[in-house]
Amino acid sequence: MTAPGTFVAERLDDPASMHTFDSAQLLRGIAGAGAQLREASQLTAEAGLQVLGDEGRPRAVVVAGVGTAARTADILAAVAGPRCPVPVLAHRSAGIPGWVGAADVVIAVSASGRGPEALAAADAAAARGARLVAIGAPDSELQSYAERARAPFIPVPRRRPAWVSLWGLTAPVLLTGRALGLASITETDIAEAASRLDADAERCRPTAETFTNPAKTLAMDLAGTIPVVWGSSRLATVAASRVADSLAANARYPASSGGLLEASRGRVGLLDGIYGSVAGPKDIFADPYEEDEEAANAPDPTRLRVVLLRDEPEEAGVELEGAEPVRPDSARADVVEDLATERGVGISVISAEGASLLERLASLIAVTDFASLYLALGHGIDPVVVPAVSELKERSARRPL
């Protein structure tokens, strides 16, 4: 009998297991990411955002929301690049920063259209005279707030949990950035990114057996490890944050993320830590024969697994308009691969593909999104059944303010 929580690889190719543990059909939801991106782009085009450009460039753009909604701010900042003429900031708490005023733009984002953070931000933006754009579910409270403020509202159909709605929420934020003159995004960029998402969904589909499915293979590599996700560029670092979010939310894995520059300032030391190549202090008086016997009978220790997201368009012969003026750190990425291999630390490398920043981001996120769900499935975890979250909300509601 399999112990609870044990990763069972056979589940990945078992339709019955998928039906049992994917009650909200999240696999089907992320398979529609390409269609989601196209639909949201069309809905944004119908929202009349050209008025934003007519009113001039803002002093700053604040994207208000939590979770997946907040991640869209990071994507806009990465796609706009270091040449972006104004700061793009994510605001992950209620209201808006005290300095926001009439010279700024607030983008309130909530997949449900009722997130208290987004609602409070929309209310505060209207009160202070800041320009407002609201993005969320149609016929929601957020839409009512936008209508009262006479602000553009982009209706994005609700896609199961907000985590599945990444691309539906990202498209309006990016196109709002384009309308404000912050980012260069073309219809071709959107079409190519959507096609990339379609192609990866086909490669990672549930009916594709493990040995031909990159997402199932990655899930098997990650099983029983502590994932550390590093990105080789600003864009890849944003993708790394999404990967860590997905592994935590879906598979309940305590993943961490960051950029290679940050890793080189100390985090690369994890490779030599107790979960890396060092099992702990060694007793010089211990009997080596007893140690060998104990090692043979001991369970496999939990080890790190590095997931390295490499984004090196210049080396692939791709020139990206608005890309980073400094080359992504391919040399440091090579060294990290060598260091992990030399220490016996497992490493999975995913390389960005595509001709635009948006397509390259999609290529880094799509496979890892599927992998997080397959990892949950292999452990017999239903990603949407989270007792701790339900209990947190219930107990918090009962406590006096």
Side-chain angles (χ1 to χ4, degrees):
M1 183 176 178
T2 303
T6 301
F7 184 85
V8 180
E10 290 75 15
R11 288 179 179 144
L12 303 186
D13 295 322
D14 178 16
S17 292
M18 294 182 192
H19 178 75
T20 300
F21 299 114
D22 187 15
S23 64
Q25 297 185 317
L26 299 188
L27 285 167
R28 178 176 293 181
I30 60 169
Q36 212 184 109
L37 181 58
R38 295 184 190 92
E39 178 187 41
S41 299
Q42 181 59 40
L43 291 169
T44 305
E46 297 168 0
L49 293 184
Q50 62 272 12
V51 66
L52 295 174
D54 296 340
E55 295 175 2
R57 180 179 294 165
R59 177 180 60 176
V61 173
V62 175
V63 182
V66 295
T68 301
R71 193 62 65 203
T72 63
D74 303 330
I75 293 174
L76 174 57
V79 171
R83 296 190 182 96
C84 183
V86 306
V88 177
L89 308 172
H91 187 69
R92 292 174 165 87
S93 56
I96 52 178
W99 52 262
V100 173
D104 307 302
V105 169
V106 174
I107 307 175
V109 186
S110 169
S112 67
R114 58 177 185 272
E117 297 80 11
L119 294 176
D123 190 40
R128 297 191 203 173
R131 283 182 276 172
L132 171 67
V133 177
I135 302 165
D139 303 318
S140 62
E141 293 177 71
L142 186 56
Q143 181 171 0
S144 298
Y145 274 67
E147 289 173 350
R148 287 198 296 271
R150 296 184 179 180
F153 177 77
I154 302 165
V156 178
R158 182 71 188 271
R159 306 292 182 189
R160 301 175 176 86
W163 175 82
V164 181
S165 301
L166 174 68
W167 296 104
L169 298 176
T170 295
V173 172
L174 289 176
L175 294 176
T176 299
R178 183 178 72 175
L180 292 168
L182 311 186
S184 177
I185 302 165
T186 68
E187 277 64 34
T188 298
D189 294 340
I190 293 170
E192 289 176 347
S195 295
R196 173 72 58 178
L197 291 168
D198 290 343
D200 284 337
E202 175 64 21
R203 291 197 302 145
C204 300
R205 68 190 187 279
T207 55
E209 295 184 355
T210 299
F211 65 91
T212 63
N213 188 319
K216 291 182 181 180
T217 300
L218 179 58
M220 292 185 65
D221 289 341
L222 291 172
T225 69
I226 300 175
V228 178
V229 193
W230 288 329
S232 71
S233 70
R234 185 180 187 182
L235 191 78
T237 301
V238 171
S241 297
R242 166 68 176 188
V243 176
D245 288 347
S246 300
L247 291 171
N250 296 325
R252 319 286 191 258
Y253 268 52
S256 65
S257 67
L260 281 185
L261 183 59
E262 183 180 29
S264 69
R265 295 295 187 268
R267 291 194 180 187
V268 75
L270 291 169
L271 298 177
D272 290 328
I274 59 174
Y275 298 108
S277 63
V278 180
K282 192 174 182 67
D283 183 357
I284 60 172
F285 298 107
D287 185 331
Y289 297 104
E290 288 184 6
E291 282 189 341
D292 291 343
E293 185 177 352
E294 289 176 3
N297 296 325
D300 290 338
T302 301
R303 301 291 301 276
L304 289 181
R305 179 83 189 188
V306 175
V307 180
L308 181 58
L309 306 183
R310 301 193 62 150
D311 173 40
E312 294 142 16
E314 292 183 7
E315 293 193 0
V318 176
E319 294 185 6
L320 302 176
E321 183 179 351
E324 300 174 60
V326 180
R327 289 187 63 175
D329 203 344
S330 57
R332 188 176 275 113
D334 290 339
V335 173
V336 166
E337 285 194 48
D338 292 342
L339 290 174
T341 301
E342 290 165 6
R343 285 158 172 75
V345 175
I347 183 167
S348 300
V349 180
I350 301 174
S351 298
E353 299 178 0
S356 71
L357 289 167
L358 189 58
E359 183 182 1
R360 297 180 74 79
L361 180 68
S363 73
L364 292 173
I365 289 177
V367 172
T368 52
D369 272 359
F370 274 99
S372 71
L373 292 175
Y374 287 130
L375 187 57
L377 174 64
H379 281 292
I381 294 173
D382 188 334
V384 299
V385 179
V386 193
V389 171
S390 301
E391 291 176 31
L392 174 64
K393 292 178 179 178
E394 291 170 4
R395 296 186 188 185
S396 299
R398 290 198 300 266
R399 288 181 178 262
L401 297 176

